[in-house]
């Protein structure tokens, strides 16, 4: 049997490679983005309760209504935007799935999608699987900000979508109000969609407001805004998220969704509906994660790494110019083997492998995990 691969150049992801290496060398794994601390006991109890109460069969294709209602209330209270839970919110099995479904909903072969690099690894393959063409723009190093003039230059009659991600993986950069202003002026009166990956929604630091598309009703008209419960509630293995869009776009989104997943895990949706009714389930998340970032930054002063700015997400990047001039991949592999700490080389987030000698660390870890990692990193000379 012969298969004509849709993704001929895709191999095993670096996350798998580095995690395998971390296990083999018993290294502290600050590579992959998952918490190693306990999630909320209350949320676990609510899932148990939902299962015991018999919420174990399919919920509607769009998602459990009380959960969509709770999300709509949250959106109104945070962003002052009214959304209809019936026609604008769809529960999905994770953020990545929501992005995949959104892009599959709108893309035709030959369409162009603007993607900023470094980029989360699913965007380019998702565009390609749909026969569309990624148009890549580098974020400005080392601040990882968008140069909107470059965006204007890359817009063509074939541009169908712009992919956004704030807070940003791998760099922790966040979009500003001015970025949103630029975006609005660029897409105004154009048939260009926006797919906004906001899976780190509540994890923005230093009092900076999260610039969600949901703040801007004119942008929401042309956007799919994708979220992840797993990322914000420290349970990445749950793979549950949602997509918010306009009623017209949601209708098309659900046509794709209903023949793929159809309906998501029921007891977790029931539990989340109750959990979200208390604002304390999400309002303290920023300061919780900021403490971890700040602790990591403080510890890292004992090392030769120069950390870059991180204003959100699970991640902070660092350069290692004072240690070595190896490629970021070789360096990451070597410190895993020799020093027992695993980062992710940032070049893997660029299609061209752009190597600014930067590695990414995940600080969504227990204090003792961060301390054990930095104790080892401090011995690198
Ligand atoms: C930017 C970004 N989007 C999406 C995801 C995945 O979210 P989920 O696990 O809900 O699919 C991740 C996970 O690392 C991510 O970093």
């Amino acid at each position: 049997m012969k298969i004509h691969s849709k993704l001929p150049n895709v191999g095993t992801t670096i996350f798998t490679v580095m995690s395998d290496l971390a296990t083999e060398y018993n290294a502290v794994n600050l590579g992959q983005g998952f918490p190693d601390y306990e999630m909320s006991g209350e949320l676990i109890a609510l899932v148990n309760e939902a299962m015991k109460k018999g919420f174990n069969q399919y919920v509607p294709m769009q998602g459990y209504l009380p959960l969509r209602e709770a999300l709509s209330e949250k959106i109104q209270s945070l962003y002052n935007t009214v959304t209809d839970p019936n026609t604008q919110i769809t529960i999905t099995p994770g953020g990545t799935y929501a992005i995949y479904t959104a892009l599959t909903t709108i893309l035709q072969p030959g369409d162009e999608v603007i993607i900023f690099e470094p980029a989360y690894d699913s965007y380019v393959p998702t565009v390609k699987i749909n026969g569309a063409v990624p148009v890549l723009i580098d974020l400005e190093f080392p601040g990882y900000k968008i140069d909107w003039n470059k965006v204007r230059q890359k817009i063509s009659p074939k541009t169908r979508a712009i992919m956004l991600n704030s807070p940003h993986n791998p760099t922790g950069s966040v979009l500003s109000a001015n970025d949103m202003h630029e975006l609005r002026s660029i897409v105004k009166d154009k048939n260009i969609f926006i797919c906004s990956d906001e899976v780190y929604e509540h994890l923005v630091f230093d009092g900076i407001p999260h610039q969600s598309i949901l703040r801007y009703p004119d942008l929401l008209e042309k956007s799919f805004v994708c979220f992840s419960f797993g990322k914000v509630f420290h349970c990445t293995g749950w793979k549950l998220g949602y997509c918010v869009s306009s009623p017209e776009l949601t209708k098309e989104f659900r046509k794709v969704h209903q023949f793929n997943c159809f309906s998501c895990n029921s007891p977790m949706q029931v539990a989340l509906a109750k959990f979200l009714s208390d604002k304390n389930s999400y309002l303290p998340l920023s300061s919780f994660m900021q403490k971890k970032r700040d602790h990591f930054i403080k510890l890292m002063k004992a090392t030769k790494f120069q950390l870059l700015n991180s204003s959100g997400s699970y991640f902070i990047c660092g350069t290692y110019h004072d240690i070595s001039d190896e490629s970021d991949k070789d360096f990451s592999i070597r410190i895993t083997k020799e020093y027992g700490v695993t980062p992710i080389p940032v070049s893997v987030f660029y299609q061209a492998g752009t190597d600014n000698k930067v590695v990414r660390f995940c600080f969504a870890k227990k204090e003792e995990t961060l301390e054990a990692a930095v104790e080892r990193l401090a011995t690198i000379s």
Side-chain angles (χ1 to χ4, degrees):
M1 294 292 287
K2 270 215 165 137
I3 185 159
H4 184 58
S5 175
K6 289 196 170 173
L7 296 171
N9 301 320
V10 169
T12 312
T13 77
I14 188 75
F15 305 100
T16 309
V17 172
M18 294 307 293
S19 283
D20 287 352
L21 207 62
T23 309
E24 189 184 337
Y25 285 86
N26 204 16
V28 184
N29 188 355
L30 301 187
Q32 217 172 350
F34 62 87
D36 68 344
Y37 47 86
E38 283 306 316
M39 61 172 291
S40 154
E42 186 195 339
L43 186 49
I44 292 177
L46 288 169
V47 177
N48 291 344
E49 184 188 299
M51 292 179 90
K52 283 185 192 141
K53 282 191 174 162
F55 289 100
N56 299 304
Q57 308 307 330
Y58 293 135
V59 291
M61 173 273 282
Q62 358 9 347
Y64 181 58
L65 182 57
L67 175 56
R68 287 182 283 128
E69 285 169 342
L71 289 169
S72 176
E73 271 171 40
K74 177 162 88 80
I75 291 165
Q76 180 150 20
S77 99
L78 290 178
Y79 306 120
N80 205 20
T81 295
V82 175
T83 49
D84 181 347
N86 283 313
T87 58
Q88 293 192 260
I89 301 175
T90 311
I91 309 299
T92 62
T96 313
Y97 174 102
I99 294 160
Y100 187 93
T101 306
L103 292 174
T104 301
T105 300
I106 52 174
L107 293 179
Q108 298 291 343
D111 284 348
E112 293 180 355
V113 181
I114 290 180
I115 295 176
F116 300 101
E117 288 194 315
Y120 177 58
D121 62 347
S122 84
Y123 306 156
V124 167
T126 300
V127 167
K128 287 187 175 170
I129 271 185
N130 282 289
V133 182
V135 173
L136 306 170
I137 299 179
D138 278 5
L139 295 170
E140 300 291 286
F141 180 76
Y144 295 111
K145 299 289 178 203
I146 295 174
D147 178 341
W148 290 102
N149 284 330
K150 281 191 189 159
V151 180
R152 283 189 186 88
Q153 284 159 17
K154 294 275 187 175
I155 298 275
S156 86
K158 290 186 181 164
T159 308
R160 190 57 49 239
I162 298 176
M163 187 73 225
L164 289 182
N165 174 213
S166 178
H168 184 251
N169 175 11
T171 68
S173 68
V174 297
L175 292 176
S176 66
N178 186 54
D179 288 318
M180 303 312 271
H181 174 74
E182 295 274 17
L183 176 67
R184 285 168 99 178
S185 79
I186 285 177
V187 298
K188 193 167 183 292
D189 301 327
K190 290 204 183 71
N191 195 26
I192 297 177
F193 297 101
I194 297 156
C195 183
S196 184
D197 179 345
E198 302 186 15
V199 300
Y200 298 102
E201 179 190 20
H202 297 295
L203 311 177
V204 185
F205 313 137
D206 307 317
I208 300 171
H210 171 48
Q211 286 297 332
S212 175
I213 290 282
L214 298 177
R215 286 180 189 273
Y216 304 91
D218 58 328
L219 287 178
L220 181 56
E221 283 301 301
K222 40 174 71 201
S223 300
F224 296 89
V225 195
C226 303
F227 298 91
S228 169
F229 294 115
K231 282 286 179 186
V232 289
F233 293 127
H234 328 293
C235 48
T236 57
W238 278 26
K239 292 300 290 187
L240 203 59
Y242 56 103
C243 178
V244 186
S245 190
S246 71
E248 293 72 25
L249 299 186
T250 297
K251 211 165 158 187
E252 290 300 317
F253 179 96
R254 287 178 182 170
K255 286 185 193 172
V256 179
H257 167 64
Q258 74 179 340
F259 295 119
N260 194 2
C261 159
F262 191 77
S263 134
C264 303
N265 185 299
S266 309
M268 286 169 183
Q269 291 190 59
V270 174
L272 282 163
K274 220 170 186 181
F275 193 60
L276 285 173
S277 64
D278 180 358
K279 288 185 181 174
N280 274 323
S281 63
Y282 55 87
L283 289 182
L285 291 170
S286 286
S287 68
F288 172 84
M289 202 57 87
Q290 182 177 331
K291 272 193 202 122
K292 291 193 179 294
R293 179 203 63 172
D294 292 347
H295 188 53
F296 187 64
I297 290 175
K298 201 164 140 211
L299 293 168
M300 286 293 280
K301 291 201 163 65
T303 74
K304 288 189 157 177
F305 289 86
Q306 305 286 333
L307 292 182
L308 303 176
N309 189 50
S310 166
S311 300
S313 81
Y314 282 11
F315 306 111
I316 191 162
C317 289
T319 61
Y320 52 89
H321 299 291
D322 293 344
I323 302 173
S324 155
D325 57 8
E326 287 159 284
S327 73
D328 63 356
K329 272 190 196 159
D330 287 349
F331 180 72
S332 299
I333 291 169
R334 184 170 69 82
I335 68 168
T336 300
K337 290 182 177 172
E338 292 180 9
Y339 293 91
V341 180
T342 303
I344 293 285
V346 170
S347 64
V348 304
F349 297 92
Y350 292 88
Q351 293 300 303
T354 305
D355 184 0
N356 291 312
K357 317 260 187 230
V358 176
V359 292
R360 185 193 80 175
F361 299 103
C362 172
F363 52 75
K365 304 288 176 191
K366 289 180 205 156
E367 284 195 0
E368 57 262 40
T369 306
L370 297 176
E371 284 156 14
V374 177
E375 201 174 303
R376 294 173 183 197
L377 292 175
T379 64
I380 305 177
S381 50

